[in-house]
Amino acid sequence: MKFPTLTSLAALLALAVASAQPRDQAVAALIDDLVTANHILASEGILDGYGHVSVRDPANPKHYFLSRSLAPGLVTAADIIEYDLDSNPAAGDDRTGYRERFIHGEIYKARPDVMAVVHDHSPAVIPFSVSSVPLRAVSHMAAFIGEGIPVFEIRDVDGMTDMLVSNPKRGRALATVLAKFPAALMRGHGAAVVGESVKVAVGRAIYLDLNARVQEQAMLLGGTVKYFEPEEARKTAPQDGFERAWDVWKRKAAK
Ligand code: MN
């Protein structure tokens, strides 16, 4: 017989605590964090009137939560819609959804590890989506991009379009380009950023934007730019899941 390790006992305990929490309380906490994520991303200038953030339901991983079509800074718990992974809303919910919700549904389908998705139009990352210069890790807070960031070219999927990932086919193609990476740039449009929690997805979206600005500044200096080596990135990337930053971003967003 195998004896349980301390780690597996801790995992069992966490599971017991989680299952002791009533379902409606768990959903309310999840939606509360999602509303906060909307406000943080607006307050940090990552989302403006457009873009969106979603969370997968851990108790029902074939569903996710996303606001109705609304500017992220204005989102409240009452605006959140529950979607299945085909991005159809729960029965009876006829409120207008974001046209690009397929970004979320198709990524959740392709990436069981992903629990939250941010889609933004960060002006700092767009240059790297249209230039031959790749976005690479230069800031230690963005070491998660140490293995590079793919660029999604919507022309490869549907030729001349309105640039919107507004159907399942385009969403699937984006998820394929994203593959195992923490983010994908979308040419001439923005980015899709993922994480194992809503805090990680939000933190990554913020530091992806910061890294893009820092890299551009470094390149403008005109010398040779030193990027993170993959090994440095691997050693740097595991941080605290942005827990400490989340609290201060949340307070700032609430002001
Ligand atoms: Mn968009």
Side-chain angles (χ1 to χ4, degrees):
M1 151 177 186
K2 259 178 81 180
F3 289 98
T5 62
L6 206 58
T7 324
S8 66
L9 279 175
L12 276 173
L13 189 66
L15 198 68
V17 169
S19 55
Q21 190 181 30
R23 167 76 179 147
D24 51 352
Q25 229 172 296
V27 169
L30 195 67
I31 287 177
D32 191 50
D33 276 349
L34 178 58
V35 169
T36 300
N38 273 273
H39 297 170
I40 288 174
L41 289 165
S43 132
E44 296 298 318
I46 305 301
L47 302 180
D48 50 14
Y50 302 94
H52 20 88
V53 50
S54 69
V55 287
R56 191 203 289 268
D57 184 352
N60 184 9
K62 290 193 181 319
H63 281 206
Y64 70 94
F65 296 102
L66 177 69
S67 170
R68 71 184 173 90
S69 182
L70 188 67
L74 303 178
V75 168
T76 69
D79 298 307
I80 304 299
I81 297 177
E82 181 171 351
Y83 287 101
D84 65 22
L85 297 193
D86 291 326
S87 297
N88 297 312
D93 198 333
D94 58 359
R95 293 176 290 174
T96 305
Y98 293 120
R99 289 180 61 197
E100 292 194 286
R101 61 188 179 276
F102 304 96
I103 293 172
H104 304 263
E106 298 303 323
I107 288 177
Y108 289 129
K109 264 188 216 169
R111 287 277 301 269
D113 61 308
V114 166
M115 297 306 283
V117 177
V118 175
H119 166 53
D120 69 61
H121 303 152
S122 153
V125 305
I126 292 174
F128 295 95
S129 78
V130 297
S131 157
S132 61
V133 176
L135 183 63
R136 293 177 62 184
V138 288
S139 156
H140 81 295
M141 291 305 291
F144 61 88
I145 63 168
E147 287 178 48
I149 291 291
V151 180
F152 171 66
E153 171 52 89
I154 200 165
R155 282 181 202 163
D156 293 344
V157 192
D158 265 344
M160 297 298 119
T161 65
D162 58 3
M163 303 300 287
L164 299 181
V165 180
S166 51
N167 62 42
K169 178 188 172 195
R170 294 177 188 175
R172 270 196 302 278
L174 170 61
T176 301
V177 169
L178 172 71
K180 64 179 171 63
F181 292 93
L185 302 189
M186 299 160 71
R187 195 266 307 164
H189 182 165
V193 186
V194 303
E196 65 269 30
S197 71
V198 70
K199 292 178 184 179
V200 169
V202 165
R204 283 177 173 175
I206 290 172
Y207 285 111
L208 188 73
D209 171 270
L210 177 134
N211 190 91
R213 285 182 279 128
V214 171
Q215 183 180 343
E216 186 185 345
Q217 287 297 310
M219 295 181 88
L220 284 171
L221 291 176
T224 306
V225 177
K226 259 190 195 170
Y227 298 98
F228 273 65
E229 289 291 342
E231 188 179 351
E232 285 176 316
R234 273 196 302 277
K235 287 178 170 166
T236 310
Q239 287 155 344
D240 67 347
F242 302 104
E243 285 286 344
R244 180 161 40 141
W246 177 269
D247 294 336
V248 74
W249 288 330
K250 184 175 177 176
R251 185 178 298 188
K252 196 172 144 197
K255 277 186 184 158

